[in-house]
Amino acid sequence: GVGAARAGNLTFMVGGVEQEFNAAKELLTCMGSNVIYCGEVGTGQAAKICNNMLLAISMIGTAEAMNLGIRL
């Protein structure tokens, strides 16, 4: 989020040509503490989507548990 961006603690999951990744890595490390090369073009987006899906599933489970606890 915004706080992580201000603190320079973002995570970048990057796909593309490895030489181009290495050229951009120095710039990305100015904004994030974790810069991960994922492979070919599109693999960074796929990793980010999987990460977001896992977070969403976790948040749904938390909300359902809270709702159940309140109702019981």
Side-chain angles (χ1 to χ4, degrees):
V2 175
R6 285 191 183 126
N9 293 327
L10 295 174
T11 295
F12 292 95
M13 293 167 240
V14 184
V17 178
E18 193 167 3
Q19 283 181 313
E20 293 174 4
F21 165 76
N22 290 330
K25 187 175 181 178
E26 184 178 347
L27 178 63
L28 294 173
T29 56
C30 292
M31 299 179 286
S33 56
N34 297 310
V35 181
I36 302 160
Y37 179 66
C38 296
E40 299 177 4
V41 171
T43 55
Q45 287 178 324
K48 178 68 174 168
I49 289 168
C50 291
N51 188 52
N52 286 355
M53 182 187 294
L54 185 59
L55 176 61
I57 290 168
S58 176
M59 294 307 297
I60 291 167
T62 299
E64 289 294 333
M66 291 295 294
N67 189 34
L68 179 61
I70 290 167
R71 289 173 185 240
L72 294 177

